[in-house]
Amino acid sequence: MSEPSPSPRPPTELVERLAGADSVAVLTGAGISAESGIPTFRDEDGLWQQYDPSELATMEAFLSQPDVVQDWYAHRRAILEEAGPNDGHRALARLEAMVPSFTCITQNVDNLHQEAGTEHVIELHGNIQRNYCVDCEEEASESVLERLEEGEPARCPDCGGLIRPDVVWFGEALPREAMEAAQAAARSADVFLSVGTSAAVHPAAGLPVTARRRGAYLAEFNVDTTEITDLVDEVVRGPAGETLPGLADALESADSESPNPSGR
Ligand code: OAD
């Protein structure tokens, strides 16, 4: 078997900034999970190219066709069941272990950062694995959703209310505590990485901008240009599953070459 090819080398300044950083924050989007086989939203084969979000990701859509919306989320959970974290998720977990303070702010609902071992994760858009009743707000177990029958929406066993996924839909506010924690992390970050997000959806997309305005060194990891490419300090072009391991490797080497590896 041949040796795996080495990860691409990241920009030197970014590695130096990271090596000297007290606080690092990362904003991730669907692109980081693309290499796990999970579709993004706005790429050519993205979900919003195939489906109309107003028919699947709004409260109005849910109330008018709850079974269709529940079924779509069940389909997305089924894709996730076959997936797992990739090298990009794992590289961020490695980075977390190498810096004094690390916050992973994610727009993803797939739980893959947690599965990769990242401890400090802020979920801005919820988590597709969790579900709750729209009436009594009790969390619903998986077994309630397994009873999903054609044309029959899943309902709360306690009060009969409809069961919805614990994700943020269009027109809904982001969870307040999560957004406040994300803003605090952005404001205090020395280095901010924007990874695999088109930075097209606010308020999440405002976080890298806030971080840079407050003095963070801002780097974008993406296969393509985004809404914020013009204002970042550094662009690392390529799939996150390759570029992020390169970054973690470089920081590890910088740490081991430092006379005081753990002390910053
Ligand atoms: P998008 O689909 O808008 O953007 C995905 C980004 O990932 C694009 O910029 C791609 O170029 C990039 N990309 C694709 N593959 C990549 C790879 N292997 N490595 C690095 N980058 C890659 O997804 P998000 O920005 O996450 O909201 O979308 C934000 C929000 O819009 C989502 O959370 C969702 C959606 O509507 C809700 O559902 C509330």
Side-chain angles (χ1 to χ4, degrees):
M1 215 163 73
S2 63
E3 286 284 308
S5 52
S7 308
R9 285 174 69 84
T12 311
E13 178 159 10
L14 176 57
V15 179
E16 286 171 1
R17 295 270 186 166
L18 273 174
D22 284 324
S23 179
V24 175
V26 184
L27 173 69
T28 65
I32 194 170
S33 297
E35 289 153 86
S36 293
I38 299 164
T40 64
F41 293 95
R42 293 175 184 78
D43 291 314
E44 241 169 60
D45 51 356
L47 293 174
W48 298 154
Q49 308 295 340
Q50 303 166 55
Y51 304 100
D52 180 351
S54 70
E55 288 174 10
L56 293 165
T58 64
M59 193 59 170
E60 292 71 30
F62 178 65
L63 292 177
S64 72
Q65 285 193 299
D67 56 317
V68 172
V69 173
Q70 285 174 347
D71 194 48
W72 190 63
Y73 281 91
H75 165 69
R76 287 180 57 192
R77 277 194 295 276
I79 294 175
L80 253 181
E81 251 167 53
E82 303 297 313
N86 63 52
D87 287 345
H89 298 105
R90 284 188 282 271
L92 289 185
R94 285 172 61 204
L95 274 188
E96 179 173 46
M98 288 188 269
V99 298
S101 164
F102 182 89
T103 307
C104 178
I105 306 160
T106 190
Q107 298 164 88
N108 299 343
V109 296
D110 58 24
N111 212 46
L112 293 181
H113 287 299
Q114 292 92 328
E115 285 180 36
T118 299
E119 282 176 22
H120 193 190
V121 181
I122 296 175
E123 292 175 329
L124 285 184
H125 292 167
N127 188 310
I128 200 173
Q129 308 289 7
R130 292 192 301 264
N131 293 274
Y132 67 93
C133 168
V134 294
D135 288 342
C136 70
E137 297 187 356
E138 272 302 303
E139 191 164 339
S141 71
E142 191 57 35
S143 61
V144 174
L145 290 149
E146 276 162 11
R147 274 184 249 136
L148 206 64
E149 281 171 37
E150 184 107 18
E152 284 298 317
R155 289 185 178 275
C156 174
D158 294 332
C159 76
L162 290 166
I163 302 295
R164 64 163 286 177
D166 189 0
V167 299
V168 176
W169 281 330
F170 287 95
E172 294 183 326
L174 270 58
R176 206 178 69 189
E177 253 181 54
M179 194 57 204
E180 283 174 1
Q183 276 165 334
R187 284 196 295 264
S188 63
D190 301 311
V191 176
F192 193 103
L193 310 179
S194 180
V195 180
T197 176
S198 58
V201 175
H202 286 266
L207 293 166
V209 184
T210 298
R212 184 151 198 282
R213 209 183 301 128
R214 297 293 289 248
Y217 189 77
L218 176 59
E220 174 171 85
F221 285 69
N222 203 301
V223 291
D224 213 338
T225 53
T226 75
E227 305 277 328
I228 60 164
T229 303
D230 283 347
L231 56 91
V232 306
D233 295 295
E234 198 98 63
V235 174
V236 182
R237 196 60 75 229
E242 294 172 22
T243 53
L244 289 175
L247 185 65
D249 289 349
L251 186 59
E252 217 160 65
S253 308
D255 255 4
S256 65
E257 282 160 20
S258 149
N260 181 18
S262 58
R264 291 198 156 84

